[in-house]
Amino acid sequence: LGIAVTPDAVWIALRHGREEDAVAGSVVRVDPLTNQVVAVVPLGSSTDGGGPTRIAASVSGVWVGIPSSRSVVRIDPGTNAVVATIPGLTCGEGELGADDSGGVWVADCDAVRRIAGLRLGSI
């Protein structure tokens, strides 16, 4: 349900995956030069809330909204691992946007929120 592009990767949020590609609730990293999957980052999924839906990339990392945990996670593109989880969203299904200062904007169900310094705030 989401895709983000960086100079060296295409990041895809797989709310519903296929066993041969990646399990549901994963983020897949694709090398744009070879079109090959180079990493799968499992984030979890559930039938009631679902796995990752929206994704954004910035200088501070790859950010992914996860409705089942009502959170946003940050993936370090250097390690392809989750390095931070920011809880507290109302639903976690809205669009994400990242700015060059390291801030991340989340369209949550009841507010627009900004993540700055790994803290969630509302505007």
Side-chain angles (χ1 to χ4, degrees):
L1 289 176
I3 188 167
V5 178
T6 60
D8 63 347
V10 178
W11 299 87
I12 304 163
L14 294 177
R15 185 174 197 167
H16 308 288
R18 297 184 319 202
E19 291 300 322
E20 63 269 16
D21 297 325
V23 297
S26 297
V27 168
V28 174
R29 181 179 184 161
V30 175
D31 181 329
L33 297 177
T34 64
N35 291 328
Q36 298 295 313
V37 173
V38 295
V40 177
V41 183
L43 299 176
S45 182
S46 69
T47 55
D48 60 338
T53 55
R54 306 296 185 228
I55 190 167
S58 72
V59 295
S60 62
V62 177
W63 300 85
V64 185
I66 306 174
S68 60
S69 62
R70 293 185 176 92
S71 64
V72 171
V73 299
R74 181 170 68 91
I75 298 172
D76 179 345
T79 62
N80 298 317
V82 174
V83 294
T85 300
I86 298 88
L89 296 177
T90 302
C91 66
E93 293 210 35
E95 294 292 332
L96 273 75
D99 64 35
D100 289 337
S101 69
V104 176
W105 299 88
V106 182
D108 204 3
C109 289
D110 62 350
V112 174
R113 304 186 192 283
R114 183 170 189 258
I115 299 169
L118 301 181
R119 294 184 171 258
L120 184 65
S122 296
I123 62 166

